[in-house]
Amino acid sequence: MAGLALPLFGCNSQLTAAKQPGRMRLLEEARLPHRMTYDGTTVGGLSGMDYDAVRREYLLLSDDRSNFGPERFYTANWTAGGGGPPALTGVTTLRQADNTTWPARNVAPKGVPVPDPEAMRRRPDTDTILWASEGDEVRGFGPALYECRRDGRLLRQFALPSMFEPTPDGKRGTRDNLGFEGLALTPSHRTAWLAMESALIQDGPVPTVNAPGGPCRFTELDLATGRVLRQIAYVPDAIPLRPLLPGTYADNGVTEILMLDTHRMLVLERAYASGSGHSLRLYEIDTRGTQDVLAIDVLAPGNHRPAPKLLVADFSTLGLSRLDNTEGMCWGPPLRSGHRMLVVVSDDNFNPLQITQFAAFEFTDRP
């Protein structure tokens, strides 16, 4: 969950790089009712999603930290073009290693993290779920990557470099609520990429309306061994919107990543400015030949090369009724045209001023 949930009055966006025209066409937009209930849970905070082509259903991860129900993900059916909203078909509780549910923060024992679930991917080769947490930095826990069964039982937590762990002096590690926000599975299913929403404290500042932020680290892991293979640097844009009242809240960061193929990746940047609304921009990067920064302790100007990026689409031009806090993104079922369906979902922060918005697009790749 990132950004603040404040009143929205509109959205505009400025482009920061050349884009390929016409690569996304809106197929359908739908919403779920605010704080609808399903099987004893309150639906909201949908921050991660994936599509299970075998079962023909979507997986929807809630970033609720057990405040409105145990940490969980939903399954849903949705036919883009069918004229209706997604229909929820199930809810699965995420569990700790001892098979108990994750506690809420206000009752969590000392030494027990409370995950902030933000991204998920199904592994087709194992039929298991990878899910990423931004962490619980206020209580001293860094971001994490977990793998669980389809029934929510925890299989393992991946070991990650110490650079992500927050230090007591607040000078290193992830910032609170700005940890692992994106997760992508490569087509071979052998490796996965984890994306930071913003820079580590030691790597630079968060974006402002006048300057881009420090580099985010995108980390590739081998799923069989759990070994970290490499990292690349990605620089989020300056905040493209100005708050209605100068000096009030505004942010920009990475909210999801998705592989186009073995090497090319889509990166979703979501910005918010108080009183001005949201901006959503989708970029493409190529991980081939991009400098490995894993061994660089602090990413400073001049000691690394960030990945070049190409603007694929500015969502304000795609015909949506409004833009909101979009954080989930996946490939849907194939289209008859032979193109891919790209599906996104927004996290409403359980706030009545925001929406749970689904949108499906026909996506055209570059020649």
Side-chain angles (χ1 to χ4, degrees):
M1 185 183 300
L4 292 185
L6 300 174
L8 308 180
F9 298 97
C11 178
N12 54 67
S13 176
Q14 64 184 29
L15 304 184
T16 57
K19 72 171 182 177
Q20 298 282 315
R23 292 183 63 181
M24 289 177 63
R25 181 176 68 87
L26 181 63
L27 299 174
E28 183 154 356
E29 176 185 351
R31 300 183 188 183
L32 293 182
H34 177 65
R35 288 199 183 184
M36 67 176 285
T37 58
Y38 180 83
D39 199 13
T41 69
T42 301
V43 180
L46 302 184
S47 295
M49 73 184 310
D50 207 1
Y51 181 70
D52 182 341
V54 175
R55 297 174 179 85
R56 298 181 181 180
E57 64 184 8
Y58 289 92
L59 307 173
L60 305 168
L61 182 68
S62 174
D63 67 4
D64 178 17
R65 296 191 184 192
S66 297
N67 293 314
F68 297 95
E71 302 207 17
R72 61 200 176 275
F73 68 87
Y74 297 91
T75 53
N77 293 329
W78 188 40
T79 302
L88 299 184
T89 59
V91 59
T92 300
T93 300
L94 296 170
R95 298 186 176 275
Q96 301 184 75
D98 63 1
N99 209 33
T100 60
T101 59
W102 294 94
R105 295 177 85 188
N106 61 342
V107 297
K110 185 177 181 180
V112 176
V114 178
D116 182 3
E118 293 291 347
M120 72 183 311
R121 295 295 170 204
R122 172 182 175 267
R123 293 185 62 187
D125 53 334
T126 59
D127 196 29
T128 55
I129 304 295
L130 298 170
W131 60 279
S133 165
E134 281 202 292
D136 191 7
E137 283 79 6
V138 172
R139 298 178 61 244
F141 299 98
L145 177 65
Y146 302 96
E147 185 170 12
C148 69
R149 302 181 190 273
R150 285 295 290 254
D151 63 6
R153 287 181 294 170
L154 185 65
L155 292 172
R156 59 173 167 167
Q157 178 179 348
F158 288 78
L160 297 169
S162 61
M163 66 178 67
F164 296 115
E165 288 297 322
T167 56
D169 61 8
K171 294 182 179 180
R172 294 182 63 88
T174 55
R175 294 175 166 89
D176 185 47
N177 206 31
L178 294 176
F180 293 155
E181 190 78 24
L183 176 62
L185 187 66
T186 55
S188 69
H189 312 144
R190 295 175 181 173
T191 68
W193 285 91
L194 279 166
M196 296 285 295
E197 181 176 352
S198 190
L200 294 172
I201 295 170
Q202 63 266 32
D203 287 338
V206 297
T208 68
V209 295
N210 297 314
C216 298
R217 293 182 187 250
F218 290 5
T219 306
E220 187 180 22
L221 300 96
D222 181 279
L223 294 176
T225 64
R227 184 169 64 91
V228 173
L229 300 176
R230 58 173 171 156
Q231 281 183 339
I232 62 174
Y234 177 92
V235 179
D237 292 340
I239 302 169
L241 307 169
R242 290 186 177 273
L244 192 62
L245 296 176
T248 55
Y249 186 84
D251 70 355
N252 181 52
V254 173
T255 60
E256 190 56 284
I257 56 176
L258 184 66
M259 300 308 297
L260 270 166
D261 55 31
T262 302
H263 304 289
R264 293 180 302 140
M265 178 190 295
L266 294 178
V267 182
L268 181 63
E269 291 190 28
R270 184 253 19 252
Y272 176 80
S274 179
S276 297
H278 286 87
S279 166
L280 301 170
R281 288 149 301 155
L282 188 66
Y283 288 96
E284 178 185 326
I285 66 171
D286 194 324
T287 62
R288 285 173 295 192
T290 302
Q291 181 184 1
D292 184 353
V293 299
L294 182 61
I296 301 177
D297 184 57
V298 175
L299 298 180
N303 74 352
H304 69 284
R305 298 185 310 277
K309 57 187 188 180
L310 172 72
L311 182 63
V312 173
D314 177 349
F315 278 57
S316 68
T317 68
L318 298 180
L320 292 167
S321 61
R322 66 182 272 188
L323 303 186
D324 211 288
N325 183 34
T326 297
E327 295 193 353
M329 179 170 64
C330 71
W331 298 118
L335 298 170
R336 292 182 180 179
S337 65
H339 293 159
R340 284 167 151 174
M341 181 192 297
L342 183 69
V343 185
V344 299
V345 66
S346 66
D347 168 8
D348 70 347
N349 291 317
F350 295 94
N351 187 321
L353 298 174
Q354 296 184 257
I355 59 174
T356 299
Q357 176 192 56
F358 292 80
F361 302 90
E362 180 180 22
F363 183 90
T364 302
D365 204 350
R366 288 190 291 141

